[in-house]
Amino acid sequence: MGWMQRRRLNRSTSDKRLAGVCGGLAEYFDVDPLLVRIGFVVAALAGPGLIAYVVLWIAMPKAPTGADAGPAAPASSTARAVAIAEDRYARGEITAEDLARIRGDLTGGAG
């Protein structure tokens, strides 16, 4: 399946302040977690935000970690780009040198 893996809505275990709800929503929709947090604060001040957060806290499963994680989609755009390059290398579309150059370019020379 490569880089086109199915994303799942989970509470974040790495980007969380309280329960990981905003971090998980931000990962799923590929937006800045700060924007999601600000949205929840505004919604809480307007009324239903706190209730929505608690409902999502209960309803959203915690993101799997370690051996339970399985083949998860990369979190950052750099990791996704490297995964695409690795997939192209596996299909024989680019050489090992091209893959190393792409990794170096994307990770700032640490490839």
Side-chain angles (χ1 to χ4, degrees):
M1 210 184 311
W3 62 276
M4 297 250 331
Q5 295 177 353
R6 185 174 173 207
R7 296 185 307 178
R8 298 190 52 116
L9 180 59
N10 294 313
R11 290 183 322 198
S12 177
T13 55
S14 60
D15 186 12
K16 66 180 193 173
R17 297 293 180 260
L18 184 61
V21 171
C22 294
L25 287 169
E27 287 174 10
Y28 184 78
F29 291 110
D30 198 24
V31 296
D32 188 348
L34 182 61
L35 295 175
V36 178
R37 290 184 180 103
I38 290 171
F40 268 103
V41 169
V42 169
L45 295 175
L50 185 60
I51 294 170
Y53 189 89
V54 172
V55 168
L56 287 171
W57 187 348
I58 294 168
M60 287 173 63
K62 194 174 195 179
T65 57
D68 298 336
S76 72
S77 59
T78 301
R80 282 193 295 262
V82 170
I84 292 169
E86 289 171 346
D87 190 44
R88 290 186 63 201
Y89 173 72
R91 291 191 311 251
E93 295 176 5
I94 61 173
T95 65
E97 293 81 20
D98 292 335
L99 177 60
R101 183 181 45 79
I102 292 169
R103 279 186 181 149
D105 290 346
L106 291 171
T107 59

